[in-house]
Amino acid sequence: MAIENGKPIENGKPQSTVKVTGTATVQPTKKPEAATCPLATFDLPYITFYYNQKILLYKTTPEQQFSDIVSKMKDGLAEALGYFYPLAGRLGQDEEKALYVKCDGEEGFEGGVEVLEAVAEGVEVTELAAEGNEAEKNSIIQELVPYTGVMNLEGFKRPLLAIQFTKLKDGIAIGCALNHAVLDGNSTWHFMSVWAELSRTPSSTPTDLPMHNRLAARSTRVPLTLPASPAAHEAVDPNGPAKVLVPRLFHFKADTVSQLKSSMNSSLPPEAKPFSTFQSLSAHIWRAVSRARSLAPTDITAFAVFGDCRSRVDPPMPSSYFGNLIQAIFTGTAAGLLLGSPPSYGAGLLQAAIDAHDSNAIIKRLDEYEGAPKLFHYSDAGMNCVAVGSSPRFKVYEVDFGFGRPERVRSGSNNKFDGMVYLYSGRDGDGSIDVELTLQPEAMEKVEKDEEFLNPVFSAK
């Protein structure tokens, strides 16, 4: 259910630490290259997910006035939207029920990006960025980003991008809500980097322009019969009512990540393909969550990776492809086998599943969806699942709007289900990784006390 600007309503009044002081609409500085942008098959599964939410926290100096910062960033945003013009559009559906983005040219079209300004001057960036006290920080963090509980389906009438600038005691929070039917994580951070670049150096030409030809990746037109409303779709969720969930951030230092990878690889024969950092850390998380859930040995546990397919499709697409070009890659095993085997067993399952997801596997998945389109629920990953929806390869801490690197990057509550994981590179760029994990309260309490997870020292032999 949508909660406007992240503020719950109690007794008819918003209960909030953050006060919204103004709203505006930012338009692109130039006319879009095309009046419409068709959505490809890769985009369609996310129409009934929710807006992706990202929060970036920055420290500023007293000399940097909030109003001046926001003005420059709005100017940079207007320039960036000229290149990433679908973000200033609205969803549309043609007479054959195929989805697209309306970018310009239709009578009565009102595009643009919603921008909110807010204040929370009693809240410190230093406090929100520090490790620990997660329970106390989460409610405040959620108020720093708009469109909580807003389904991508609402992009027919709502902006496809909403941004909230919040003045904090010692800095600024930038909360972004991005329609997941329009772009994935790779495109999100591409846009963010260009926006930051244009805010630092106005009127320059971005060093990495987006590619908007989605038909190059998949040109099939897929008719979709959409639900009457987001509430109607939520009402038929086979996974039942939403569970109480607890998000937590765990920081793994560079030497711990290196040790995990080395330990996972120590039992492999010389000719074997080594496990990547991602596979090693993911297997470590998978085992910890399975322990915390107290699964029976015969219970099946699954792991899902939302893998980037840009280099896997035939022909390959460039990294600058703007849109969704991801697919969920699944593997699974019995909990007893996962936990009773060496840690490298889980890493091996992940590696095999990822390696097998080649262009043929991608086409097969696209054919299946186009033959029987489905409106997913974001929690459809299933019971006992762990899913990773981000990548430590994204250069999130290089998003510099002119006042340095973010102090912390976080995700909002949208699209988080039991077992959802977001991975971010550590702020210092030294190989450390932040693990943002969401679980039910009982399981999370066990993870927080799990020394094998928090301070791993083991051999994969």
Side-chain angles (χ1 to χ4, degrees):
M1 181 177 294
I3 302 174
E4 290 303 317
N5 306 326
K7 298 186 294 297
I9 303 297
E10 295 179 7
N11 300 321
K13 297 181 180 180
Q15 307 296 309
S16 179
T17 303
V18 179
K19 180 182 178 181
V20 175
T21 58
T23 62
T25 300
V26 172
Q27 300 284 357
T29 55
K30 61 181 180 180
K31 187 178 179 66
E33 296 175 5
T36 62
C37 175
L39 294 188
T41 308
F42 287 99
D43 300 303
L44 303 182
Y46 306 100
I47 188 65
T48 46
F49 280 41
Y50 295 78
Y51 277 65
N52 272 340
Q53 296 177 310
K54 302 299 176 187
I55 303 106
L56 297 87
L57 303 170
Y58 295 87
K59 293 192 74 171
T60 57
T61 65
E63 294 76 24
Q64 294 172 308
Q65 296 296 314
F66 178 74
S67 58
D68 293 339
I69 290 173
V70 170
S71 178
K72 290 179 180 178
M73 293 183 68
K74 287 168 71 173
D75 289 345
L77 175 62
E79 286 195 59
L81 292 174
Y83 298 101
F84 294 85
Y85 58 88
L87 287 176
R90 300 292 184 270
L91 294 181
Q93 193 170 28
D94 64 21
E95 65 282 355
E96 297 178 2
K97 296 186 177 181
L99 293 177
Y100 65 99
V101 178
K102 295 185 290 186
C103 302
D104 189 25
E106 295 189 11
E107 184 177 352
F109 173 77
E110 295 183 5
V113 168
E114 182 176 0
V115 174
L116 303 94
E117 294 182 34
V119 295
E121 295 193 42
V123 178
E124 295 183 1
V125 170
T126 305
E127 172 191 355
L128 294 178
E131 294 182 44
N133 299 321
E134 285 291 301
E136 297 177 17
K137 295 187 296 186
N138 282 328
S139 61
I140 298 174
I141 288 174
Q142 194 56 46
E143 291 184 35
L144 301 176
V145 61
Y147 286 15
T148 296
V150 175
M151 192 177 289
N152 297 315
L153 184 66
E154 297 190 43
F156 284 88
K157 296 182 179 179
R158 286 184 185 259
L160 303 180
L161 170 62
I163 296 167
Q164 180 175 317
F165 300 113
T166 305
K167 181 181 180 183
L168 304 178
K169 185 175 182 179
D170 55 346
I172 184 173
I174 304 172
C176 304
L178 307 105
N179 193 296
H180 197 352
V182 178
L183 77 170
D184 60 16
N186 187 84
S187 290
T188 292
W189 294 109
H190 182 193
F191 162 73
M192 294 294 290
S193 66
V194 170
W195 175 23
E197 181 181 352
L198 291 172
S199 296
R200 293 194 313 270
T201 55
S203 302
S204 62
T205 300
T207 54
D208 186 18
L209 296 176
M211 170 195 169
H212 290 294
N213 182 14
R214 301 190 188 203
L215 300 184
R218 190 69 168 182
S219 59
T220 306
R221 289 167 52 82
V222 182
L224 283 183
T225 300
L226 300 175
S229 66
H233 184 68
E234 291 171 339
V236 296
D237 188 344
N239 306 304
K243 302 177 179 69
V244 175
L245 298 174
V246 177
R248 290 287 185 270
L249 186 73
F250 299 94
H251 179 72
F252 285 81
K253 295 180 179 179
D255 58 351
T256 301
V257 174
S258 178
Q259 178 191 15
L260 269 172
K261 182 177 180 180
S262 176
S263 186
M264 290 283 184
N265 282 294
S266 63
S267 63
L268 293 178
E271 68 277 7
K273 180 181 179 180
F275 301 127
S276 67
T277 297
F278 174 85
Q279 292 157 5
S280 301
L281 180 58
S282 294
H284 182 65
I285 297 167
W286 190 13
R287 286 167 55 86
V289 171
S290 297
R291 283 195 302 270
R293 286 171 169 166
S294 300
L295 300 179
T298 55
D299 287 341
I300 299 299
T301 175
F303 198 102
V305 179
F306 287 89
D308 188 349
C309 297
R310 285 168 175 78
S311 64
R312 296 170 182 266
V313 293
D314 186 16
M317 293 292 108
S319 177
S320 59
Y321 175 98
F322 186 76
N324 286 286
L325 205 52
I326 56 175
Q327 283 185 341
I329 303 170
F330 287 91
T331 189
T333 187
L337 191 55
L338 177 68
L339 297 177
S341 302
S344 58
Y345 172 75
L349 292 176
L350 296 176
Q351 184 186 73
I354 293 170
D355 287 351
H357 203 75
D358 58 11
S359 61
N360 290 328
I362 292 169
I363 291 173
K364 181 180 179 182
R365 184 80 63 81
L366 294 172
D367 288 342
E368 290 172 351
Y369 182 88
E370 292 163 359
K374 179 180 179 181
L375 297 177
F376 291 97
H377 294 86
Y378 74 99
S379 54
D380 275 339
M383 293 179 61
N384 304 332
C385 184
V386 178
V388 175
S390 185
S391 171
R393 294 182 178 179
F394 296 152
K395 298 178 180 179
V396 301
Y397 284 101
E398 295 183 17
V399 179
D400 178 3
F401 289 95
F403 33 88
R405 298 160 66 85
E407 296 296 315
R408 184 71 80 184
V409 176
R410 297 294 301 265
S411 302
S413 63
N414 283 359
N415 298 319
K416 286 184 176 176
F417 56 86
D418 183 20
M420 189 67 199
V421 178
Y422 290 96
L423 299 180
Y424 296 110
S425 60
R427 182 181 186 275
D428 295 332
D430 58 356
S432 61
I433 295 178
D434 288 339
V435 176
E436 199 175 63
L437 171 64
T438 299
L439 292 172
Q440 294 185 57
E442 184 178 351
M444 183 60 77
E445 184 177 356
K446 293 179 181 178
V447 168
E448 290 177 317
K449 298 176 181 178
D450 185 349
E451 284 298 315
E452 185 176 343
F453 173 63
L454 299 174
N455 302 296
V457 178
F458 55 77
S459 170
K461 293 182 180 179

